[in-house]
Amino acid sequence: MTENFFLDGGEVLAEALQQARASAADGTDAAYAHVLGLVAADDAALWATLAAEHVSVLRSWGRLSTAASQCERYLRDERGAAHRLPLLIERAQVRSESGMHAAAAADAAEIREAVGRDPRAELDSAAHARLRRVEGLAAGDPATARRYLGEARAVFESVGDAAAVAVLDADLRLVAARGGSDEAVSAILAEDSDAATSVPRALARALALKARHRYEEALLVVVTALASDGLDAALQLPLLEELVGLLVALRRGKALKALSAELSHLTFMEAGGSAEGTEPPAARFLRVLLTTFGLLDRGEVQRARGELDAIRELADSDRDRAHWHLASGEVSVAAFKRRKVEADLTAAVSDLTTALELANTDQLLDVRIRALRLLGEAFELLKQPDQASDRWARAHALEEELVARQVSDEVRATLLEDIPTEHDERIRVAAELAASGPGGAPAATAVAAAIVAMESARGAAVLAGIAPGAAGALRRLPAPGDGPAAWQWLRTIADATARDEAIWIMHARPGRVHHGIVGRGLVHHVDLPADRGELEKLVKALRKECNEYRLGRPEGRDRVSQLIERLAAGIGVETVLGLVPPRIKRLVVVAGGVLSDIPLAALPIKSGRGAPGGLGGLGGPAGSAGSDGAPVPIVTRFALSDLPCLSARPLLRQRAVGNRGSRALMISAFEATPEDFEGELLRTDYRRVRILGHGQTDPKDASQTWLQFAGTKNERDGRIQPGRFQQANLTSCGTLILGACESGMAQRVGRDERTGFVRAGLHAGAASVVAARWIAEVSVTAVLLDRFEGYLRYLPRDVALQRAQLDVRDGRAVPAGDVPEPGHPAWWACWTLYGDSGHQVKAPILRASARRPAHVIRRLFRTAVQTD
């Protein structure tokens, strides 16, 4: 503070100054106006010194916005303009504490230049130390920052200013933490978290938490600071900058959009501009950056480029420059999609590589991840798939590391669902290109490329688990981005379908579900909004409801119906199947991840859509599907089968053709041991194998997934797990029927694919597998599978299962047990046909069926041979 002044007749000024300082101790500053009014008109130096003291008082209270505006007002006064030095020192400190380090450093440079020009001007040690702190906090080089802050600390320590020394110690820890010092990070985190109420301490704690990749906790710290009572407007900016990075890292897209809208209405008090109330450069940079993302969302690419270029010079730190180059790269990628000019991609690669280099600290991990994602997209569009896969894989690894550091299971699960794999990204890029054809109409080659990208994702996950060497089929897929080759490949697939058959391929990525419909003269790609996390929750809830106790109660069955309706709406069934012409009666479904768990047969569609008689022309009783336009299950119109991937179809079809016939093995797993089962398959070739028994699946623990056979010593001795089951000799089996509970459920592998008894049966050599998605009621299982086997004698497998399910649904097949509302889909929709959907019985046998036995069954431990 300024010393008391005793000038000629100045006792009044001295007394007023004492009163002003006393008022300041009580939290008011109005008396300073009176003090400044008492200063003689010709004593400009004293006036400027006292004005600087007033600003200092406001700054010490944390009222930075008021301090900034008052300082600007004093600098515009001719006395302040004539003696700027003390006011500039205060303004530099106000700007520095507001997070405007570049502007603060500019003030410090102006002060030192002025002192160097005027021999009469000098800085006392305290002023020099305060400037050194400003310069240290603004320094981009950690070594320089440490040196300047160390100089300031030494000065304050020499005069015994313990409070200033403590502040400098905190500054030095922060610089060390930014430089990657684990010791400094630990020291910041060791401080009492409740003490992080001031903005500087909150920002330091958030930075330390980010260094440990604990983004969720850092977000809570920043949000708490922003919500604190009496937060000064000038302190909003540094907190908002942290908030933006955290929201990006935690995939909070809705919150980012809301923040962008809010920033456009925020009034930042000027902390260093030329006029009161004007927007500071740092605030403008942040606002325009968020505005750019909003413009990109609306497709206003040219305007986004103009806005971004206008703020390039405002990026005055590595952090800001990293964000600018990241946004510039994203704008260039968007420009390429509109103009198809390769120079845009070249510019994008350059900008994104620069962003990656600048974001070389843990505090900018979010920028690194986003830059890698966009680089992958740019390389994909440049038809460099290996480079694209490398960048996407690196981004995925960083994101999984980030997820592991979060606190709550809910946040971890949400983040995992929101992390796109390289397949998600490849499908997204292909789909966006498919949607950007002339006039908005997708080109056939672009649609084909999108469907091939979906097939590549499925094949990469499952082919190796179906047959040794099967993954080689992936290498025969067209290269990513090769539209003409993709179109030729897809035409080959379409030509191999029957006239009444279509393939429905699906893939869920974060925020979208992609659908492809392929058949003779039929190719569609539909990209619909969907919440993958919500679909996961619905499937889990459905599985929980589907047990005999819950289904025995009306409210349980109602709950299942509601969940099925929500799943249908969630993936857009009506929109997709509305593209399928009436001639199509059979659908081969290719789906992975959460989509593979949805009971498609039960999903409701409107019966008026080309489904006469409710059975899609299959000869069922008229009206069984409900009145025209009323919702009915998909199975009333389509026979469904599930295919692991399109590349597996020729392999499974070849197996099916070679393994047609009626010789069947029916195994009572309650009586036969695993060794009996395995030995019987080695002794005799069976074309159809049906296992009657019990199974259990634990989606989280593969060791608790098993089929129960009779044990030689105890029950546990008779359990077969998928790994052992896939070693069974099923190379002669055309149809494997797993009549056990939960046999179609499976263990997650990674995030996208499951392995279980269905996959094990296909790996063991079977051409097709019939299994249950959830716990199946015993009496419904018996009657449904008996009907299915009967229809197999003259119908394709998918149609046979469709008929069996409709027989149960419509009451033509009545379970032996007391099953409430047996036609409810919860009882029959769990059964699914996986693999080849064609005939089990050869055509010649169909023609000769009246002259010789066509159906031969051997029952293990019921040894009579049955013929009919």
Side-chain angles (χ1 to χ4, degrees):
M1 294 255 182
T2 310
E3 297 297 329
N4 290 332
F5 293 93
F6 295 94
L7 309 174
D8 292 337
E11 292 83 358
V12 175
L13 173 60
E15 184 179 345
L17 184 58
Q18 276 188 325
Q19 291 176 354
R21 287 172 176 169
S23 299
D26 295 331
T28 60
D29 68 311
Y32 273 96
H34 177 60
V35 169
L36 291 170
L38 293 174
V39 176
D42 60 349
D43 199 347
L46 176 60
W47 185 92
T49 301
L50 292 174
E53 179 177 318
H54 183 205
V55 175
S56 177
V57 166
L58 293 169
R59 179 173 57 81
S60 69
W61 292 341
R63 291 166 56 183
L64 297 180
S65 296
T66 305
S69 60
Q70 193 67 269
C71 191
E72 292 303 317
R73 191 174 296 116
Y74 289 148
L75 282 168
R76 289 195 295 272
D77 188 285
E78 61 182 18
R79 289 167 290 183
H83 295 274
R84 293 170 58 84
L85 212 60
L87 286 167
L88 286 179
I89 291 173
E90 286 303 322
R91 189 173 76 174
Q93 292 177 95
V94 169
R95 287 177 163 181
S96 180
E97 291 171 20
S98 301
M100 302 175 61
H101 297 297
D107 279 339
E110 183 180 347
I111 292 166
R112 295 203 183 278
E113 184 181 353
V115 170
R117 285 197 312 265
D118 186 353
R120 295 170 300 174
E122 61 179 352
L123 295 174
D124 60 27
S125 60
H128 170 74
R130 291 197 293 271
L131 283 184
R132 271 296 187 238
R133 179 176 183 247
V134 167
E135 292 163 333
L137 292 176
D141 173 30
T144 303
R146 285 193 297 270
R147 179 161 57 86
Y148 285 170
L149 293 172
E151 287 180 25
R153 186 188 186 283
V155 170
F156 289 122
E157 187 175 36
S158 68
V159 299
D161 191 338
V165 169
V167 169
L168 266 298
D169 284 339
D171 291 339
L172 285 164
R173 276 196 303 274
L174 187 62
V175 169
R178 283 181 177 151
S181 168
D182 190 65
E183 181 181 356
V185 168
S186 297
I188 293 172
L189 294 179
E191 294 176 354
D192 183 3
S193 60
D194 292 336
T197 51
S198 72
V199 171
R201 297 188 73 173
L203 290 171
R205 187 168 185 82
L207 181 141
L209 289 167
K210 285 175 66 176
R212 296 286 171 84
H213 297 175
R214 291 158 59 182
Y215 279 61
E216 184 186 1
E217 294 170 86
L219 179 64
L220 179 61
V221 169
V222 173
V223 169
T224 301
L226 274 168
S228 60
D229 292 335
L231 176 66
D232 192 87
L235 292 174
Q236 288 179 339
L237 183 60
L239 288 170
L240 287 169
E241 287 177 334
E242 284 298 324
L243 181 62
V244 169
L246 288 165
L247 292 176
V248 170
L250 290 169
R251 296 289 187 276
R252 305 288 178 84
K254 292 180 180 178
L256 271 172
K257 288 183 179 179
L259 179 60
S260 178
E262 185 178 345
L263 275 176
S264 66
H265 297 98
L266 279 178
T267 301
F268 290 94
M269 293 301 295
E270 172 59 19
S274 58
E276 180 181 351
T278 60
E279 188 178 39
R284 180 171 175 244
F285 180 84
L286 178 61
R287 178 181 57 76
V288 173
L289 197 66
L290 288 173
T291 300
T292 299
F293 296 139
L295 292 171
L296 284 179
D297 285 343
R298 298 194 296 272
E300 299 180 49
V301 178
Q302 188 172 355
R303 186 179 166 196
R305 169 54 68 192
E307 292 275 357
L308 199 59
D309 287 346
I311 62 167
R312 180 167 188 171
E313 297 305 317
L314 300 180
D316 54 15
S317 66
D318 281 352
R319 171 183 176 145
D320 285 352
R321 284 188 285 272
H323 277 289
W324 189 91
H325 284 285
L326 178 68
S328 181
E330 187 160 0
V331 169
S332 293
V333 170
F336 171 80
K337 291 176 182 177
R338 284 185 168 270
R339 305 189 306 176
K340 302 296 186 295
V341 176
E342 193 168 304
D344 289 327
L345 291 180
T346 304
V349 169
S350 175
D351 272 323
L352 295 169
T353 301
T354 301
L356 200 58
E357 292 169 351
L358 290 167
N360 57 3
T361 65
D362 283 341
Q363 289 74 42
L364 291 176
L365 179 64
D366 53 296
V367 174
R368 283 215 311 280
I369 290 171
R370 182 63 179 156
L372 285 167
R373 290 263 172 220
L374 287 167
L375 271 172
E377 181 171 355
F379 282 123
E380 180 79 359
L381 293 169
L382 284 167
K383 297 182 173 55
Q384 298 180 35
D386 291 341
Q387 295 275 20
S389 295
D390 172 73
R391 301 319 188 272
W392 284 330
R394 285 163 58 188
H396 194 271
L398 288 174
E399 286 172 311
E400 288 190 325
E401 181 183 346
L402 185 154
V403 168
R405 303 289 185 98
Q406 306 316 305
V407 176
S408 66
D409 289 339
E410 182 179 358
V411 169
R412 282 197 296 268
T414 300
L415 285 173
L416 279 173
E417 282 305 314
D418 285 344
I419 296 175
T421 65
E422 66 177 270
H423 300 300
D424 291 331
E425 295 283 31
R426 185 153 282 144
I427 291 167
R428 176 184 62 81
V429 173
E432 289 174 356
L433 289 176
S436 61
T445 54
V447 170
I451 294 175
V452 168
M454 295 162 69
E455 164 61 11
S456 178
R458 294 296 307 129
V462 305
L463 267 178
I466 296 173
L474 281 181
R475 291 191 291 271
R476 295 191 290 273
L477 283 177
D482 189 346
W487 176 244
Q488 189 59 44
W489 180 87
L490 203 62
R491 288 185 63 181
T492 303
I493 293 293
D495 289 344
T497 60
R499 187 182 180 280
D500 66 344
E501 179 184 60
I503 294 166
W504 179 10
I505 183 169
M506 289 184 277
H507 181 91
R509 63 176 181 86
R512 314 291 295 183
V513 172
H514 298 267
H515 303 264
I517 300 291
V518 181
R520 293 191 180 184
L522 180 65
V523 177
H524 290 290
H525 172 263
V526 184
D527 175 12
L528 300 174
D531 186 333
R532 188 165 69 182
E534 181 64 20
L535 292 176
E536 288 274 10
K537 291 176 183 177
L538 291 174
V539 166
K540 289 177 182 176
L542 179 64
R543 186 176 295 150
K544 182 179 179 181
E545 293 292 332
C546 288
N547 62 69
E548 291 186 42
Y549 172 75
R550 292 177 184 268
L551 294 180
R553 305 167 67 87
E555 56 268 28
R557 297 191 297 276
D558 288 344
R559 172 70 172 153
V560 169
S561 297
Q562 293 168 10
L563 290 169
I564 288 173
E565 289 174 5
R566 290 175 64 186
L567 283 167
I571 65 173
V573 162
E574 276 291 331
T575 299
V576 177
L577 295 188
L579 301 172
V580 179
R583 67 176 171 84
I584 300 298
K585 312 299 180 187
R586 303 164 65 194
L587 286 177
V588 178
V589 179
V590 180
V594 63
L595 300 176
S596 67
D597 293 330
I598 296 175
L600 295 176
L603 300 190
I605 57 174
K606 293 179 181 178
S607 62
R609 201 185 298 278
L615 287 173
L618 292 173
S624 64
S627 60
D628 185 57
V632 293
I634 287 178
V635 74
T636 61
R637 180 181 170 195
F638 299 107
L640 300 168
S641 62
D642 188 290
L643 197 62
C645 61
L646 291 176
S647 299
R649 196 179 197 207
L651 168 68
L652 296 176
R653 176 58 54 86
Q654 185 178 12
R655 286 184 189 175
V657 171
N659 294 332
R660 286 178 177 168
S662 296
R663 180 173 291 276
L665 175 67
M666 183 175 290
I667 304 166
S668 174
F670 301 108
E671 301 174 66
T673 66
E675 291 75 18
D676 293 327
F677 162 61
E678 292 162 345
E680 186 65 24
L681 291 178
L682 287 172
R683 279 190 294 273
T684 309
D685 290 339
Y686 290 100
R687 306 306 184 193
R688 191 172 78 250
V689 176
R690 177 174 171 182
I691 301 175
L692 308 175
H694 173 63
Q696 176 174 307
T697 293
D698 185 338
K700 296 181 180 179
D701 185 357
S703 67
Q704 298 302 310
T705 298
W706 38 262
L707 289 177
Q708 182 67 58
F709 283 75
T712 55
K713 297 178 181 178
N714 54 50
E715 184 181 85
R716 296 184 68 86
D717 189 41
R719 292 176 181 175
I720 290 184
Q721 294 174 337
R724 179 176 178 180
F725 191 83
Q726 74 178 26
Q727 303 303 318
N729 181 23
L730 292 171
T731 55
S732 300
C733 179
T735 307
L736 170 65
I737 304 169
L738 299 174
C741 295
E742 302 183 88
S743 53
M745 292 172 63
Q747 168 74 18
R748 267 293 165 96
V749 176
R751 193 197 64 187
D752 183 60
E753 197 40 53
R754 293 177 182 268
T755 182
F757 286 103
V758 171
R759 192 61 41 75
L762 295 174
H763 189 279
S768 65
V769 181
V770 173
R773 295 178 183 273
W774 56 74
I775 296 174
E777 201 280 333
V778 174
S779 60
V780 175
T781 295
V783 69
L784 189 147
L785 294 183
D786 284 347
R787 287 281 179 142
F788 170 68
E789 288 198 89
Y791 287 131
L792 271 184
R793 296 163 63 186
Y794 57 92
L795 290 174
R797 295 180 185 88
D798 56 350
V799 179
L801 181 60
Q802 179 195 33
R803 287 289 188 89
Q805 289 174 315
L806 289 174
D807 284 351
V808 173
R809 174 185 180 268
D810 296 337
R812 290 185 293 274
V814 182
D818 184 15
V819 179
E821 197 181 351
H824 192 282
W827 301 116
W828 51 262
C830 59
W831 293 98
T832 301
L833 170 69
Y834 301 87
D836 186 74
S837 59
H839 285 87
Q840 174 62 46
V841 181
K842 295 180 181 179
I845 294 181
L846 292 176
R847 290 193 295 270
S849 59
R851 300 194 300 273
R852 68 171 183 266
H855 195 58
V856 182
I857 300 178
R858 174 172 170 77
R859 300 177 184 270
L860 270 188
F861 301 114
R862 297 176 188 174
T863 56
V865 175
Q866 175 180 329
T867 62
D868 53 20

